[in-house]
Amino acid sequence: MPLSNSGNPSFKRQKGPDFLVTKDPIYLDNQATTPLAPEVFDTMVPWLRDNFGNPHSAHRLGRKAAAAVEVAREQVAGLLPKGGELIFTGTATEAINLGFGAVHAAQTTGRNKIIVLDSEHAAVRDTALSYAKRGFEVELHPLGSDGIVSLEELSAAIDDKTAIVAAMLVNNEIGVIQPVQAIAELAHRSGALMLCDVVQGYGRVAIPDNIDMAAISAHKIYGPKGIGALWVRDGIILPPLIHGGGQERGIRSGTLSPALCAGFGQAAALCQDKWDSDAAHIQILADKARDCFGDWIINGSTSQRYAGNLNIRKEGVDVARLMSDVRGVAFSAGSACASGSGRPSHVLASLGLRPAQIKSSIRLGFGRYNDVKDIEMAAKYINEAVEAQLV
Ligand code: PLP
């Protein structure tokens, strides 16, 4: 899916090898964010342009907006377990911060231990670590060299002091899928809660129904940026992070955006409708990519993974240079967050990779709007640039 950059003065055709072409880059960074689905855009427009009512107002305009929010809530919840409620937030990061608040109730019963996998996104990892300053013991639980947690080792770590175990469904950097259902069973056996960051799996990978909380984000499923949600099982007590007018059942105050909610709902409904066709399409792209990058090594498990994420390395490649050379492809070195912060990838490090191996790794993310030609062209550009580096 080439992006249209007409009018953007920074995208100009240059003389030189093909991989230096900067016009219309091919977007292969679908873990960082996804393009807005056209159907989502169309759904949002009337709520931005015409229906401006505050969904918390009692009059007709307000009630109309509130009804749209509730339709969206149902659509988003349709891909989540039953027996809980959905709280809209600004981002998944906010949802995760909100969910960790459950540890306060657990602390009153003597539980002061938090366990999170070492490969969690910073939204989970750094939130958990912030509790170390508030009297909690925080364990960053190690993983195997395939990026998957050992259930035996995790079982030994969870005890009757554990308040919460957090594990992600699909890893944002390497795409591996954790055995979340079994992890939730282990947590429950010791009376702990299980918080799952399902951001990279929601709408694409089945979510086990025994988790207690799930954080999601619209912009990873072809929805708008600026809205996420926390799904919470009934009966879990969460203190509000944001105080104010008491919206979202008093847990998350602030006026909701009907446009963002409606866009999120439509994006979720599309994922549900297109579940099989999206999965088949992504698998075709993944198979093509594995062919095109056959002499690269896959980071993390080759079998327990989401097909839309390919994190690969090649000895001797300088990825910083590769990314500045290959201007015709939008891809990532490590996670978008780690790249943005300049921090080395803790996920690749948790696999036991050496710094040189981490620096020679790239992440390619395929989505609904890519086609096989995108993969072929991207592979041509990347492999040609690598060859030029390694001569
Ligand atoms: N968790 C995972 C696995 C992610 O990939 C991301 C986004 O990169 C987040 C959490 C944070 O999501 P948001 O951008 O909605 O805060």
Side-chain angles (χ1 to χ4, degrees), residues 31-32 91-93 96 121 123 168 170 172 197 199-200 217 219-220 337:
Q31 277 75 42
T91 57
T93 302
I96 290 162
H121 187 277
M168 70 210 305
V170 177
N172 54 303
D197 171 349
V199 166
Q200 297 286 348
S217 187
H219 75 98
K220 309 288 185 176
C337 296

Side-chain angles (χ1 to χ4, degrees), residues 111-313:
R111 292 180 180 266
N112 67 345
K113 188 167 164 185
I114 293 173
I115 300 178
V116 306
L117 301 189
D118 198 17
S119 57
E120 292 298 300
H121 187 277
V124 166
R125 189 184 166 94
D126 289 11
T127 305
L129 289 172
S130 76
Y131 279 90
K133 296 172 208 123
R134 292 180 251 176
F136 284 85
E137 181 194 333
V138 181
E139 175 177 326
L140 299 176
H141 191 81
L143 303 154
S145 58
D146 58 357
I148 309 287
V149 69
S150 148
L151 291 173
E152 214 178 314
E153 286 172 18
L154 186 63
S155 170
I158 302 173
D159 59 21
D160 61 2
K161 290 272 172 256
T162 308
I164 200 165
V165 178
M168 70 210 305
L169 182 61
V170 177
N171 186 276
N172 54 303
E173 290 191 42
I174 55 176
V176 301
I177 300 179
Q178 297 295 346
V180 163
Q181 178 158 355
I183 296 172
E185 278 165 18
L186 291 180
H188 293 161
R189 209 156 63 194
S190 291
L193 294 173
M194 159 72 185
L195 167 66
C196 192
D197 171 349
V198 300
V199 166
Q200 297 286 348
Y202 175 78
R204 293 145 285 177
V205 174
I207 296 175
D209 62 6
N210 63 342
I211 57 176
D212 298 303
M213 287 179 274
I216 56 179
S217 187
H219 75 98
K220 309 288 185 176
I221 59 157
Y222 317 100
K225 291 170 190 60
I227 184 160
L230 181 70
W231 175 84
V232 198
R233 184 172 296 290
D234 293 335
I236 293 175
I237 300 163
L238 290 180
L241 265 187
I242 299 174
H243 302 267
Q247 290 91 345
E248 294 300 88
R249 294 147 181 82
I251 295 174
R252 202 270 185 175
S253 287
T255 304
L256 287 174
S257 158
L260 292 177
C261 293
F264 197 176
Q266 177 65 42
L270 280 174
C271 285
Q272 199 150 29
D273 290 351
K274 293 178 184 289
W275 187 277
D276 291 337
S277 57
D278 274 355
H281 178 63
I282 299 292
Q283 191 59 54
I284 289 169
L285 301 178
D287 291 345
K288 173 53 77 180
R290 282 206 193 187
D291 273 1
C292 293
F293 293 95
D295 55 346
W296 292 64
I297 297 166
I298 297 178
N299 291 322
S301 170
T302 51
S303 54
Q304 260 176 268
R305 60 181 307 112
Y306 169 60
N309 177 317
L310 189 63
N311 193 313
I312 46 179
R313 67 178 193 273

